[in-house]
Amino acid sequence: MTNLPVHVANSIRERRLLPRGGRILVAVSGGLDSVVLLHLLQGLAAERNWQLTVAHLNHQLRGRSSAADERFVRRLAGKFGFPVVVERADVRTFARKGRLSLEMAARKIRHEFLARAAAQAKARQIVLAHQADDQVELFFLRLFRGSGGEGLAGMSWRSPSPANPKLQLIRPLLNVPRAALREFALARGITWREDASNASPDILRNRIRHELLPLLMRRYQPSLARTIPRVMEIVGGESSHVREAAQRWLRRRRRGSFARLTPAVQRAALRLQLQKQGLAPDFDLIETLRREPDQRVSVEPACAVSRTAGGQVQRHVVQRADFQPGVQDVELRAPRGLLGFGGLQLAWRLVRRAGGHRSAAQPRVEWFDADAVGSPIRLRHWRPGDRFQPIGMPGPVRLQDLLTNARIPREGRRRLVVAEAADGRIFWVQGLRIGEPFKLTPGTRRRLQWRWRPAAKLETPPRSADEPLRRA
């Protein structure tokens, strides 16, 4: 890119991104992209009569490096004579308390900070340094997460702030590759701060940047930097059409008409309603609402949503349910038995049969390796910190995460019954798959048949062709 300042000035003018004579807030992290952006805007400020204010959020995630970033941005703003707004945030604590990923917590805190800084600077536009490579990386990030058309469309040149829709986020570098920014900075002797975490392979975006994209461009498509933005533009245009159709339907919603909408418009209508209520519209949630009217789905602590037959998303307050007390130890010595616990009737049967072949599947019936389970077992309810290894998974995971993914409402989770084997590991969770370490295998010698039923009385397991064990 031979003349970067002219290119960026043309983008701003042609797309009418920033008005003349306006107050503008510039988000500056101290990295290459935002530092070059500030230099470019500073070069245009006098001609365009802009009043620029620098905003920097210290995320306090990298110790001394974060503090050094803050000092660097303060000096840079002072060099240009721009006012600077700086805040510090404990992102890790916020993420832990809100049960968010560091990335999501940082994004939320950052946008809220920028909205406050814009109010302080009396600015209506917040300029961000997202560039062309960010768009391509974002495309693959969202592709891997299963995003729909709006997500795959990527970032817009102009969009409302998620913290305050009256503020506009402006991205004047979206058609500028990172290499052009680096070339400009080196040619002008511009210094910037390197974030060491940008090279960490533990971060998916970094693996996309340093591993996946070079491989794709080297082996499959050298013009990826042009083709992916083209795809994003096409997908974005089509998703905008669907969104507009959903908005028209929401404005003049008629009885029974939701069922006649195409699935794409149904999804968009649900997504818009969830976003209006400040809820994350992930695909699984939208599909559950779309397919199952009047089904409550837990989305946040003390909050669930459902969809009426007419397509309206309703929010429900969920009363906090305490963890259920009660423990029952059970000896599996007898060949069969019957008991009640936690609103369930449970029956077991011990069978002497070798091998890993399973009987035909039956509702509410599971088979375990009896020797792996052992005796005695313990029945109890779910507790915080429980870990469980479902069949087919390589290791144990948090039971809470499995229940969340299974869309089991929070108010019902604490009543779920779990069964611990003799060694203390969970081998069964009501409504989930059996435990991997306790499945039938070719080395199985004895089997445990496990049957359960809510509330209603369960008859003692009948004899079958399998020979039951005799009590020793």
Side-chain angles (χ1 to χ4, degrees):
M1 198 164 289
T2 56
N3 197 329
L4 183 61
V6 172
H7 177 83
V8 173
N10 289 340
S11 293
I12 292 173
R13 185 184 65 256
E14 291 168 4
R15 292 175 173 82
R16 300 181 180 180
L17 298 179
L18 296 169
R20 288 182 176 273
R23 295 175 181 265
I24 298 168
L25 185 76
V26 188
V28 181
S29 67
L32 168 67
D33 302 347
S34 62
V35 169
V36 170
L37 171 66
L38 185 62
H39 277 80
L40 292 170
L41 294 178
Q42 185 271 338
L44 296 170
E47 177 194 347
R48 302 299 176 93
N49 194 26
W50 289 333
Q51 298 180 52
L52 303 181
T53 298
V54 173
H56 176 80
L57 178 65
N58 183 341
H59 296 82
Q60 302 186 94
L61 290 172
R62 299 184 293 116
R64 292 180 179 178
S65 293
S66 292
D69 292 345
E70 178 184 326
R71 291 193 297 271
F72 175 83
V73 173
R74 286 184 183 275
R75 287 197 301 269
L76 183 60
K79 171 187 172 182
F80 288 136
F82 297 149
V84 59
V85 182
V86 175
E87 284 188 15
R88 297 180 180 181
D90 188 346
V91 175
R92 281 196 175 88
T93 299
F94 182 82
R96 185 175 65 253
K97 289 182 177 180
R99 298 179 180 178
L100 300 169
S101 67
L102 277 179
E103 181 183 5
M104 291 301 295
R107 182 179 184 275
K108 180 176 177 61
I109 290 175
R110 184 164 56 249
H111 281 300
E112 290 175 350
F113 157 68
L114 291 174
R116 290 192 298 272
Q120 184 175 331
K122 297 181 180 178
R124 300 295 297 273
Q125 285 86 24
I126 302 170
V127 185
L128 306 177
H130 296 120
Q131 32 78 7
D133 293 52
D134 291 328
Q135 282 281 61
V136 177
E137 293 163 11
L138 182 63
F139 175 85
F140 284 99
L141 272 173
R142 291 181 172 175
L143 179 68
F144 296 155
R145 292 171 183 167
S147 296
E150 287 192 15
L152 295 179
M155 295 174 286
S156 303
W157 292 84
R158 177 192 292 106
S159 62
S161 163
N164 182 351
K166 293 181 180 180
L167 301 174
Q168 290 289 311
L169 302 180
I170 307 298
R171 302 178 179 90
L173 303 181
L174 276 187
N175 59 358
V176 179
R178 184 177 290 114
L181 298 176
R182 180 178 291 272
E183 181 183 346
F184 178 83
L186 293 175
R188 301 293 179 94
I190 296 171
T191 59
W192 66 89
R193 294 277 301 169
E194 289 286 2
D195 183 347
S197 66
N198 286 337
S200 171
D202 295 332
I203 300 173
L204 178 58
R205 180 185 282 274
N206 292 343
R207 296 199 299 276
I208 292 173
R209 177 183 302 172
H210 300 299
E211 299 172 10
L212 177 64
L213 294 182
L215 173 66
L216 292 176
M217 287 189 285
R218 185 173 65 252
R219 298 286 300 276
Y220 299 96
Q221 175 52 278
S223 302
L224 199 67
R226 291 197 302 271
T227 58
I228 292 299
R230 186 187 311 153
V231 170
M232 297 173 82
E233 184 174 352
I234 293 170
V235 171
E238 293 174 354
S239 65
S240 294
H241 177 73
V242 172
R243 181 187 179 93
E244 291 168 4
Q247 289 172 329
R248 287 195 299 271
W249 179 82
L250 286 169
R251 285 195 297 270
R252 53 175 190 262
R253 187 164 31 197
R254 295 186 178 86
R255 183 181 179 88
S257 60
F258 184 81
R260 295 196 295 271
L261 298 175
T262 65
V265 177
Q266 287 179 342
R267 293 185 184 108
L270 295 172
R271 184 185 306 111
L272 289 168
Q273 293 180 78
L274 290 168
Q275 289 172 334
K276 188 175 182 179
Q277 298 189 37
L279 300 173
D282 67 79
F283 180 80
D284 289 336
L285 172 59
I286 288 174
E287 285 302 279
T288 301
L289 294 175
R290 189 176 72 83
R291 295 176 177 176
E292 302 178 26
D294 301 319
Q295 173 69 41
R296 292 194 181 191
V297 184
S298 178
V299 290
E300 290 180 353
C303 174
V305 292
S306 65
R307 171 184 70 82
T308 67
Q312 181 180 0
V313 173
Q314 296 181 326
R315 191 166 182 159
H316 310 276
V317 176
V318 178
Q319 297 298 321
R320 179 180 176 85
D322 294 329
F323 287 96
Q324 301 295 307
V327 169
Q328 185 170 340
D329 292 328
V330 183
E331 291 281 357
L332 299 184
R333 302 293 186 187
R336 63 186 65 238
L338 183 68
L339 60 93
F341 182 84
L344 296 181
Q345 293 286 335
L346 299 133
W348 80 86
R349 182 163 62 95
L350 295 170
V351 176
R352 193 183 300 278
R353 184 181 176 190
H357 177 72
R358 284 195 60 184
S359 303
Q362 295 177 267
R364 299 195 181 99
V365 177
E366 296 290 357
W367 290 89
F368 300 92
D369 185 312
D371 293 309
V373 172
S375 180
I377 67 169
R378 170 166 290 185
L379 298 173
R380 61 173 177 83
H381 294 279
W382 169 57
R383 296 171 183 164
D386 274 343
R387 296 183 71 80
F388 176 59
Q389 183 181 357
I391 189 170
M393 294 193 70
V397 295
R398 290 200 315 164
L399 181 52
Q400 178 178 339
D401 294 338
L402 294 174
L403 299 176
T404 299
N405 293 336
R407 295 290 179 186
I408 296 176
R410 293 178 182 272
E411 64 272 23
R413 296 178 194 175
R414 294 171 173 82
R415 294 191 294 271
L416 290 180
V417 177
V418 304
E420 290 181 354
D423 63 6
R425 292 182 296 174
I426 296 174
F427 71 89
W428 175 77
V429 180
Q430 178 187 347
L432 294 185
R433 293 173 286 173
I434 68 173
E436 168 71 22
F438 308 96
K439 68 183 180 181
L440 301 178
T441 70
T444 296
R445 293 292 175 263
R446 303 186 308 154
R447 301 177 174 220
L448 168 64
Q449 185 193 57
W450 187 258
R451 304 169 65 222
W452 74 97
R453 184 176 300 166
K457 184 177 179 180
L458 193 68
E459 297 178 356
T460 304
R463 292 178 181 268
S464 71
D466 297 319
E467 179 190 354
L469 286 174
R470 300 299 179 186
R471 187 168 186 174

